[in-house]
Amino acid sequence: MDIKRAKKEIKDSIEAYLAKDEYGDYMIPSIRQRPILLMGPPGIGKTQVMEQVAKECKVALVSYTITHHTRQSAVGLPFIEKKMYDGKEYSVTEYTMSEIIASVYDKMEETGNPPEYNKSVRDFDVVTLDRIKKIDVDVNYDVWKEYAYRADIHPAILAYLEIRRDYFYRMETTVDGKAFATARGWEDLSQLLKTYEKLGKKADREVVHQYIQHWKIA
Protein backbone atom coordinates (compact mmCIF):
# COMPACT_ATOMS: atom_id res chain seq x y z
CA MET A 1 0.00 0.00 0.00
CA ASP A 2 1.08 3.62 -0.32
CA ILE A 3 2.42 5.66 2.60
CA LYS A 4 -0.83 7.63 2.95
CA ARG A 5 -2.89 4.47 3.43
CA ALA A 6 -0.21 3.07 5.75
CA LYS A 7 -0.48 6.15 7.98
CA LYS A 8 -4.25 5.69 8.22
CA GLU A 9 -3.84 2.01 9.07
CA ILE A 10 -1.32 2.77 11.82
CA LYS A 11 -3.42 5.58 13.27
CA ASP A 12 -6.57 3.46 13.19
CA SER A 13 -4.71 0.65 14.96
CA ILE A 14 -3.45 2.91 17.73
CA GLU A 15 -6.88 4.44 18.27
CA ALA A 16 -8.38 0.94 18.43
CA TYR A 17 -5.68 -0.19 20.90
CA LEU A 18 -6.39 2.81 23.16
CA ALA A 19 -10.20 2.44 23.04
CA LYS A 20 -11.85 1.39 26.31
CA ASP A 21 -15.29 0.04 27.15
CA GLU A 22 -17.75 1.40 29.70
CA TYR A 23 -15.86 -0.41 32.47
CA GLY A 24 -12.55 1.22 31.62
CA ASP A 25 -11.03 -1.94 30.15
CA TYR A 26 -9.30 -1.97 26.79
CA MET A 27 -11.67 -3.16 24.07
CA ILE A 28 -8.73 -5.03 22.53
CA PRO A 29 -6.82 -6.71 25.39
CA SER A 30 -3.10 -5.90 25.51
CA ILE A 31 -2.25 -9.49 24.60
CA ARG A 32 -4.20 -9.04 21.34
CA GLN A 33 -2.66 -5.66 20.49
CA ARG A 34 -0.19 -6.72 17.83
CA PRO A 35 2.99 -4.65 17.41
CA ILE A 36 3.10 -2.93 14.02
CA LEU A 37 5.94 -3.77 11.64
CA LEU A 38 6.21 -1.14 8.90
CA MET A 39 8.26 -2.41 5.97
CA GLY A 40 9.29 -0.57 2.83
CA PRO A 41 12.19 0.81 0.77
CA PRO A 42 14.45 3.46 2.36
CA GLY A 43 13.72 7.16 2.15
CA ILE A 44 9.96 7.01 1.47
CA GLY A 45 8.85 8.55 4.78
CA LYS A 46 8.31 5.64 7.19
CA THR A 47 9.89 7.38 10.18
CA GLN A 48 8.16 10.64 9.33
CA VAL A 49 4.79 8.90 9.24
CA MET A 50 5.41 7.35 12.66
CA GLU A 51 6.30 10.78 14.06
CA GLN A 52 3.10 12.26 12.61
CA VAL A 53 0.94 9.45 13.97
CA ALA A 54 2.51 9.65 17.44
CA LYS A 55 1.87 13.40 17.56
CA GLU A 56 -1.71 13.13 16.31
CA CYS A 57 -2.53 10.23 18.66
CA LYS A 58 -0.63 11.80 21.58
CA VAL A 59 1.50 8.71 22.26
CA ALA A 60 5.20 8.40 23.02
CA LEU A 61 7.64 7.63 20.23
CA VAL A 62 11.19 6.34 20.62
CA SER A 63 13.00 6.72 17.29
CA TYR A 64 16.48 5.38 16.68
CA THR A 65 18.73 5.62 13.64
CA ILE A 66 21.46 3.00 13.94
CA THR A 67 23.98 5.17 12.07
CA HIS A 68 23.81 7.70 14.91
CA HIS A 69 25.33 5.20 17.30
CA THR A 70 28.72 3.70 17.93
CA ARG A 71 29.22 -0.05 17.77
CA GLN A 72 29.34 -0.10 21.59
CA SER A 73 26.00 1.65 22.00
CA ALA A 74 24.45 -0.73 19.47
CA VAL A 75 25.84 -4.06 20.72
CA GLY A 76 26.99 -3.24 24.27
CA LEU A 77 30.40 -3.22 25.91
CA PRO A 78 32.49 -6.42 26.17
CA PHE A 79 33.49 -7.96 29.50
CA ILE A 80 35.15 -11.21 30.57
CA GLU A 81 32.98 -13.84 32.28
CA LYS A 82 34.30 -17.01 33.92
CA LYS A 83 32.46 -20.20 32.91
CA MET A 84 32.94 -23.91 33.57
CA TYR A 85 33.04 -26.43 30.72
CA ASP A 86 33.80 -30.11 31.36
CA GLY A 87 35.11 -29.24 34.81
CA LYS A 88 37.52 -26.60 33.51
CA GLU A 89 37.26 -22.82 33.90
CA TYR A 90 37.37 -20.67 30.77
CA SER A 91 37.33 -16.92 30.15
CA VAL A 92 34.43 -16.04 27.87
CA THR A 93 33.66 -12.66 26.30
CA GLU A 94 30.14 -11.44 27.11
CA TYR A 95 28.45 -8.13 26.27
CA THR A 96 26.45 -5.70 28.33
CA MET A 97 23.00 -4.76 27.11
CA SER A 98 23.18 -2.09 24.40
CA GLU A 99 21.91 1.43 25.05
CA ILE A 100 19.40 1.00 22.25
CA ILE A 101 17.82 -2.19 23.58
CA ALA A 102 17.92 -0.89 27.15
CA SER A 103 16.04 2.30 26.25
CA VAL A 104 13.39 0.28 24.43
CA TYR A 105 12.95 -1.95 27.48
CA ASP A 106 12.66 1.16 29.68
CA LYS A 107 9.92 2.55 27.48
CA MET A 108 8.12 -0.80 27.46
CA GLU A 109 8.15 -0.92 31.25
CA GLU A 110 6.82 2.64 31.46
CA THR A 111 3.90 1.80 29.16
CA GLY A 112 3.10 -1.64 30.72
CA ASN A 113 3.49 -3.83 27.61
CA PRO A 114 2.91 -7.55 28.34
CA PRO A 115 6.04 -9.72 28.79
CA GLU A 116 5.48 -11.69 25.61
CA TYR A 117 6.18 -8.54 23.58
CA ASN A 118 9.33 -7.59 25.47
CA LYS A 119 11.59 -9.71 23.28
CA SER A 120 13.81 -8.53 20.44
CA VAL A 121 12.64 -9.69 17.03
CA ARG A 122 15.57 -11.30 15.23
CA ASP A 123 14.17 -13.69 12.66
CA PHE A 124 10.92 -12.95 10.92
CA ASP A 125 9.73 -16.52 10.75
CA VAL A 126 6.09 -17.61 10.66
CA VAL A 127 5.88 -17.72 14.44
CA THR A 128 7.01 -14.08 14.64
CA LEU A 129 4.97 -12.84 11.69
CA ASP A 130 1.85 -14.44 13.17
CA ARG A 131 2.21 -12.18 16.22
CA ILE A 132 2.64 -8.82 14.52
CA LYS A 133 0.63 -6.51 12.28
CA LYS A 134 2.79 -6.26 9.14
CA ILE A 135 2.28 -3.28 6.82
CA ASP A 136 4.16 -3.20 3.52
CA VAL A 137 4.66 0.23 1.96
CA ASP A 138 5.36 0.91 -1.70
CA VAL A 139 6.60 4.00 -3.55
CA ASN A 140 3.79 6.15 -4.95
CA TYR A 141 4.58 9.48 -6.60
CA ASP A 142 0.98 10.76 -6.70
CA VAL A 143 0.61 10.31 -2.94
CA TRP A 144 3.95 12.02 -2.33
CA LYS A 145 2.91 14.88 -4.63
CA GLU A 146 -0.11 15.59 -2.40
CA TYR A 147 2.24 15.82 0.55
CA ALA A 148 4.77 17.84 -1.44
CA TYR A 149 2.29 20.64 -2.14
CA ARG A 150 1.32 20.83 1.53
CA ALA A 151 4.99 20.78 2.56
CA ASP A 152 5.82 23.55 0.04
CA ILE A 153 8.42 21.50 -1.84
CA HIS A 154 10.39 23.72 -4.24
CA PRO A 155 8.40 24.25 -7.47
CA ALA A 156 11.42 23.39 -9.64
CA ILE A 157 11.47 19.90 -8.15
CA LEU A 158 7.73 19.43 -8.61
CA ALA A 159 7.88 20.66 -12.21
CA TYR A 160 10.82 18.35 -12.96
CA LEU A 161 9.18 15.27 -11.43
CA GLU A 162 5.94 15.93 -13.30
CA ILE A 163 7.94 15.51 -16.50
CA ARG A 164 10.08 12.60 -15.24
CA ARG A 165 7.93 10.70 -12.77
CA ASP A 166 10.10 7.63 -13.21
CA TYR A 167 12.95 9.60 -11.62
CA PHE A 168 11.09 10.16 -8.35
CA TYR A 169 12.46 7.00 -6.76
CA ARG A 170 15.40 4.93 -7.97
CA MET A 171 17.54 2.36 -6.22
CA GLU A 172 20.19 0.85 -8.50
CA THR A 173 23.47 -1.02 -8.09
CA THR A 174 26.18 0.08 -10.52
CA VAL A 175 29.88 -0.71 -10.97
CA ASP A 176 30.57 2.38 -8.85
CA GLY A 177 28.23 1.33 -6.06
CA LYS A 178 24.70 2.39 -5.19
CA ALA A 179 22.90 5.04 -7.25
CA PHE A 180 19.63 6.30 -5.84
CA ALA A 181 16.98 8.99 -5.59
CA THR A 182 14.49 9.01 -2.72
CA ALA A 183 11.61 11.07 -1.40
CA ARG A 184 13.80 12.08 1.53
CA GLY A 185 16.46 13.30 -0.88
CA TRP A 186 14.02 15.45 -2.85
CA GLU A 187 12.61 17.04 0.31
CA ASP A 188 16.04 17.79 1.78
CA LEU A 189 17.17 19.20 -1.58
CA SER A 190 14.08 21.40 -1.64
CA GLN A 191 15.01 22.98 1.69
CA LEU A 192 18.52 23.64 0.43
CA LEU A 193 17.33 25.20 -2.84
CA LYS A 194 14.96 27.59 -1.06
CA THR A 195 17.68 28.63 1.39
CA TYR A 196 20.25 29.06 -1.40
CA GLU A 197 17.87 31.34 -3.27
CA LYS A 198 17.46 33.57 -0.24
CA LEU A 199 21.24 33.70 0.17
CA GLY A 200 21.82 34.42 -3.53
CA LYS A 201 23.66 31.14 -4.07
CA LYS A 202 23.40 28.72 -6.99
CA ALA A 203 22.97 24.95 -6.78
CA ASP A 204 24.62 23.21 -9.72
CA ARG A 205 24.64 19.54 -10.65
CA GLU A 206 27.36 18.74 -8.11
CA VAL A 207 25.24 20.18 -5.31
CA VAL A 208 22.10 18.37 -6.49
CA HIS A 209 24.03 15.09 -6.60
CA GLN A 210 24.87 15.49 -2.92
CA TYR A 211 21.15 14.84 -2.28
CA ILE A 212 20.05 12.93 -5.38
CA GLN A 213 22.88 10.43 -5.60
CA HIS A 214 22.15 9.30 -9.15
CA TRP A 215 24.21 11.20 -11.76
CA LYS A 216 21.70 10.91 -14.59
CA ILE A 217 18.82 12.20 -12.48
CA ALA A 218 20.96 14.90 -10.86
Side-chain angles (χ1 to χ4, degrees):
M1 68 179 68
D2 60 59
I3 199 77
K4 182 178 180 181
R5 172 67 187 275
K7 178 182 177 181
K8 182 181 185 302
E9 291 289 337
I10 296 167
K11 190 173 181 181
D12 287 347
S13 296
I14 292 175
E15 290 177 352
Y17 290 170
L18 295 176
K20 295 183 178 180
D21 60 22
E22 61 272 23
Y23 303 105
D25 297 320
Y26 287 110
M27 296 177 69
I28 300 178
S30 340
I31 198 172
R32 296 291 172 237
Q33 294 185 10
R34 292 190 171 198
I36 297 170
L37 176 64
L38 186 61
M39 300 288 289
I44 63 172
K46 297 187 297 295
T47 302
Q48 192 174 51
V49 160
M50 297 306 295
E51 291 172 348
Q52 293 171 7
V53 171
K55 184 177 181 180
E56 293 170 15
C57 292
K58 296 181 174 60
V59 296
L61 174 69
V62 178
S63 178
Y64 274 104
T65 300
I66 198 67
T67 52
H68 291 172
H69 292 270
T70 63
R71 182 178 185 278
Q72 286 76 17
S73 67
V75 302
L77 293 171
F79 65 93
I80 303 299
E81 181 74 17
K82 298 292 185 180
K83 290 192 176 183
M84 300 295 295
Y85 296 102
D86 292 328
K88 295 182 179 180
E89 186 178 75
Y90 293 88
S91 297
V92 180
T93 302
E94 298 280 3
Y95 287 88
T96 60
M97 180 179 286
S98 73
E99 295 173 20
I100 297 174
I101 299 301
S103 64
V104 172
Y105 272 109
D106 289 341
K107 182 55 66 176
M108 285 178 172
E109 289 181 0
E110 290 175 17
T111 54
N113 282 341
E116 59 267 29
Y117 292 142
N118 290 350
K119 295 180 179 178
S120 299
V121 176
R122 294 182 179 86
D123 298 316
F124 295 121
D125 52 22
V126 173
V127 175
T128 299
L129 293 173
D130 196 36
R131 286 170 168 79
I132 62 174
K133 183 168 183 173
K134 185 168 179 283
I135 299 178
D136 291 304
V137 187
D138 297 318
V139 177
N140 187 307
Y141 171 69
D142 289 322
V143 168
W144 182 81
K145 185 171 72 171
E146 290 181 28
Y147 163 79
Y149 279 112
R150 295 194 305 271
D152 193 30
I153 296 297
H154 196 286
I157 291 175
L158 292 174
Y160 175 72
L161 291 177
E162 275 298 296
I163 298 171
R164 300 307 305 262
R165 290 184 171 216
D166 56 324
Y167 284 178
F168 167 59
Y169 192 94
R170 285 289 183 90
M171 194 65 61
E172 301 173 0
T173 301
T174 70
V175 292
D176 297 318
K178 290 287 186 181
F180 56 90
T182 68
R184 181 192 297 122
W186 290 116
E187 185 164 8
D188 290 348
L189 175 62
S190 170
Q191 292 295 319
L192 182 81
L193 292 179
K194 289 190 287 186
T195 302
Y196 266 28
E197 287 176 354
K198 291 181 179 179
L199 297 175
K201 297 180 181 295
K202 181 181 178 181
D204 59 13
R205 185 188 183 192
E206 295 284 348
V207 173
V208 173
H209 185 254
Q210 294 164 13
Y211 293 83
I212 307 302
Q213 297 183 45
H214 188 295
W215 274 116
K216 185 177 179 180
I217 297 175

